[in-house]
Amino acid sequence: MKAAILGFGTVGSGVWKVLHENKDRVEKAVGEPVMVTRVLDLRDFPGHPVEPSLVKSFEEIEDDPQIDIVIECMGGIHPSYEYVSSALEKGKAVVTSNKELVASCGAKLMEIAYQHQTDFLFEASVGGGIPILNTLRLGLVQEKIDSIEGILNGTTNYILTRMEKEGLPYEQILKDAQALGYAERNPEADVMGYDACRKIAILASMISGKTVRYEDIPTEGITEVSLQDIEEARKDGKRIRLVAKAALTEDGVTASVRPERIREDHPLAGVQGVFNAVLIHGNMVGDIMLEGQGAGKEATASAVVSDVIYALKQRRNGLYEPVCWTEQICPVNA
Amino acid sequence: MKAAILGFGTVGSGVWKVLHENKDRVEKAVGEPVMVTRVLDLRDFPGHPVEPSLVKSFEEIEDDPQIDIVIECMGGIHPSYEYVSSALEKGKAVVTSNKELVASCGAKLMEIAYQHQTDFLFEASVGGGIPILNTLRLGLVQEKIDSIEGILNGTTNYILTRMEKEGLPYEQILKDAQALGYAERNPEADVMGYDACRKIAILASMISGKTVRYEDIPTEGITEVSLQDIEEARKDGKRIRLVAKAALTEDGVTASVRPERIREDHPLAGVQGVFNAVLIHGNMVGDIMLEGQGAGKEATASAVVSDVIYALKQRRNGLYEPVCWTEQICPVNA
């Protein structure tokens, strides 16, 4: 099977690494070797083994009938959307780590994928390396999931847990986090809750089988959380965490992102530093918590590769099964 | 698709319940309805909807060519082994929640399943409702899993966490646990670590691709853990938990079950009461923790039903893929 990677930055080069270092496992799981034959990036990587595969234009990928799967790791909406939709229209499978793309255009892309009966998968777009979507689609497929809540942003959890432990104010920890590379120079997407909002929009759509627009989710970040708030919560046996939530209701689904006071013995209260976690509630199994690295090159790439394996296995076996999200495609859900 | 349940006790009746209450989800996931047409139990259940399906002899199940899948919920080794092997030899898929059977006879049963190219699955045998094996087989299939450690017995975790919180001695909490139904009248299998030992034997076999005999695993229970031990650990910022471990080594795999002192901020330290959890370490993804109910009727039955869905989907699609465990069947692993 032949794969193309779009974007050879952190995630893209991580995918290359995982596909090479865990080649045996990937080959065994898919049933045949997986080769990356094209990598789209405007930069050159002289001397890197990726060099002979580098291409500068997407046409060389979409027009190559040998490419079975396109792995989108560029981020942003344009030209990701155009490339992904075009690859799907050519009948290629697509895997992405791009939460903005999925939260903004997921429904449309899933419809295109459905029309062409090919996979569009996005495990790495939520919770980095944690197999959350996989667990919803496979391990807990028998469950009616009625709610999901999680710590879906590592930067803000890093800041809150350090404020709590060290008693230092928000601004100071943020500066440290920026120096250490845990926060962007413009930290808005993380600290205002926008990143967590896109991720919970994806999860809310998956558990409800309906497209939840991220613009409709009330979102509050951590910029107003003071040391005093943290101290007051502590006195009540509680901790403050940026919690992203989605729950089914009689009318559909609700979702929110905001700092919440949770009890010290709540499973999410123990999630430290840049780790992410989700608590999934199913009608039979009760609470299941998944925790792991929510970001990072190898962890995110690992999640991408799990989707690549799934999609290529389905392709080899001539099978296709849509992700439940849009009511048209997947009406029986929840 | 038609299913038979062996044993209509706690787990068996739970499977019936999940298959009925979440019928829509099961039907959608499998692609067609799943009907339980035979239930083996020596008891009668007058007035229960299962009544017309009850049979008293296994022959009525093995000789029924319409039965696609046999769900073994009897527990114990005999006659479970004979029934399961016979069902596999008839080409039926088999799902079991029976950790003793899997730990004792798993390799042999997987060979029979392989010879007849039919599924033998056992998600519910480890960690109750937590999709651990599913995550190893699917969500983390791209990873080289180098170690796994977990709290795999709810009874002992309940006793240890209550001793820690309430400062009451082992014997007193054990009596309470027995009164509440969290511990058996003969608590040996739990408190001596035998139950956790069988579960880690199964996990060790899965991550190494080699049969690990539970008899070879050094096992120590919690009967010698005193309040003083717990207090001394607390002074060092640690907690005592019954930890079951398996790790790959150059020579193969090691495993153990024993009370360990773990740091308060270790992910397993936060696991409370009867909950179970596993920490899986992959070479790319790092640590992933899964936590949930390790026992209980509906949770365990939910895990059984996830296997039923997987096996029936594979069957419908004419696919078969062996679980990696025995070197003969599945040589490329780890």
Side-chain angles (χ1 to χ4, degrees), chain A:
Chain A
M1 309 293 271
K2 293 189 174 52
I5 297 174
L6 311 185
F8 204 66
T10 305
V11 179
S13 62
V15 171
W16 170 279
K17 182 177 171 182
V18 174
L19 286 173
H20 282 80
E21 292 199 14
N22 287 6
K23 206 178 162 192
D24 290 354
R25 290 205 61 93
V26 173
E27 174 171 345
K28 174 151 163 281
V30 173
E32 61 180 278
V34 177
M35 282 180 298
V36 178
T37 57
R38 297 264 193 280
V39 175
L40 178 70
D41 203 293
L42 296 179
R43 294 166 294 181
D44 297 312
F45 295 88
H48 189 290
V50 79
E51 211 180 0
S53 315
L54 282 172
V55 298
K56 303 289 174 199
S57 109
F58 179 66
E59 283 73 46
E60 293 187 60
I61 291 168
E62 64 173 340
D63 295 339
D64 182 346
Q66 296 214 300
I67 301 277
D68 297 290
I69 190 162
V70 170
I71 304 166
E72 191 276 302
C73 309
M74 300 188 299
I77 311 260
H78 302 288
S80 297
Y81 176 78
E82 290 73 19
Y83 291 176
V84 167
S85 54
S86 157
L88 292 170
E89 280 160 5
K90 294 265 157 77
K92 301 180 193 306
V94 174
V95 170
T96 183
S97 58
N98 185 337
K99 62 186 171 288
E100 280 181 289
L101 179 68
V102 180
S104 301
C105 317
K108 184 70 194 137
L109 290 170
M110 269 171 264
E111 274 176 39
I112 300 173
Y114 182 69
Q115 281 158 17
H116 298 272
Q117 300 279 297
T118 188
D119 275 305
F120 174 60
L121 299 170
F122 41 90
E123 175 68 71
S125 69
V126 180
I130 312 170
I132 302 175
L133 307 189
N134 192 294
T135 301
L136 292 174
R137 285 195 304 121
L138 303 170
L140 298 179
V141 66
Q142 71 282 4
E143 290 286 323
K144 292 182 185 163
I145 306 297
D146 30 61
S147 71
I148 187 159
E149 56 182 321
I151 291 173
L152 295 176
N153 180 269
T155 305
T156 46
N157 202 59
Y158 174 84
I159 294 172
L160 291 175
T161 52
R162 274 197 64 189
M163 285 172 73
E164 186 177 274
K165 277 193 183 152
E166 300 172 32
L168 296 172
Y170 169 76
E171 293 76 15
Q172 193 172 335
I173 307 279
L174 174 61
K175 268 187 199 151
D176 248 34
Q178 287 171 318
L180 290 164
Y182 291 157
E184 306 279 345
R185 260 178 299 172
N186 176 354
E188 195 184 72
D190 294 318
V191 298
M192 300 297 283
Y194 303 156
D195 174 80
C197 170
R198 277 151 184 81
K199 292 170 179 168
I200 199 68
I202 295 171
L203 291 174
S205 302
M206 296 243 346
I207 67 168
S208 66
K210 290 175 186 151
T211 305
V212 175
R213 287 162 35 97
Y214 72 86
E215 297 92 333
D216 295 338
I217 298 177
T219 298
E220 192 189 324
I222 64 160
T223 53
E224 305 297 317
V225 177
S226 67
L227 285 173
Q228 199 186 335
D229 296 333
I230 290 175
E231 188 49 36
E232 276 170 18
R234 194 205 310 264
K235 282 182 195 152
D236 283 350
K238 292 185 176 170
R239 294 181 186 165
I240 297 182
R241 292 286 182 271
L242 184 65
V243 177
K245 272 184 180 169
L248 298 193
T249 63
E250 278 186 19
D251 310 326
V253 57
T254 58
S256 65
V257 176
R258 60 170 174 250
E260 297 204 13
R261 292 159 54 112
I262 54 179
R263 287 173 50 92
E264 270 170 12
D265 60 0
H266 188 284
L268 294 179
V271 179
Q272 300 291 325
V274 294
F275 273 64
N276 279 200
V278 289
L279 196 60
I280 301 167
H281 190 270
N283 70 327
M284 291 292 150
V285 77
D287 281 330
I288 295 283
M289 186 168 89
L290 312 179
E291 181 180 348
Q293 291 186 49
K297 174 173 166 161
E298 286 86 0
T300 306
S302 172
V304 170
V305 173
S306 77
D307 278 347
V308 169
I309 289 171
Y310 181 85
L312 291 181
K313 266 171 80 169
Q314 292 284 92
R315 205 171 181 83
R316 278 197 84 206
N317 291 320
L319 298 176
Y320 165 71
E321 203 175 329
V323 173
C324 289
W325 179 312
T326 63
E327 280 178 289
Q328 295 71 22
I329 297 176
C330 188
V332 185
N333 202 323

Side-chain angles (χ1 to χ4, degrees), chain B residues 160-181:
Chain B
L160 290 175
T161 53
R162 274 196 65 190
M163 284 172 73
E164 186 177 275
K165 276 193 183 150
E166 300 171 33
L168 296 172
Y170 169 77
E171 292 76 15
Q172 193 172 336
I173 307 280
L174 173 61
K175 268 187 199 151
D176 248 34
Q178 287 171 317
L180 290 164

Side-chain angles (χ1 to χ4, degrees), chain B residues 268-334:
Chain B
L268 295 180
V271 179
Q272 300 291 327
V274 294
F275 273 65
N276 280 201
V278 289
L279 195 61
I280 300 167
H281 189 271
N283 70 327
M284 292 291 149
V285 77
D287 280 330
I288 296 283
M289 186 166 92
L290 312 179
E291 182 179 347
Q293 291 185 51
K297 173 172 167 163
E298 286 86 359
T300 306
S302 172
V304 169
V305 172
S306 78
D307 278 346
V308 169
I309 290 171
Y310 180 87
L312 292 180
K313 267 171 81 167
Q314 292 284 92
R315 205 172 182 83
R316 278 198 84 207
N317 292 320
L319 297 176
Y320 166 69
E321 203 175 329
V323 173
C324 289
W325 179 313
T326 63
E327 281 177 289
Q328 295 71 23
I329 297 175
C330 187
V332 185
N333 202 323

Side-chain angles (χ1 to χ4, degrees), chain B residues 118-130:
Chain B
T118 188
D119 275 304
F120 173 61
L121 300 170
F122 41 91
E123 176 67 71
S125 69
V126 181
I130 312 170

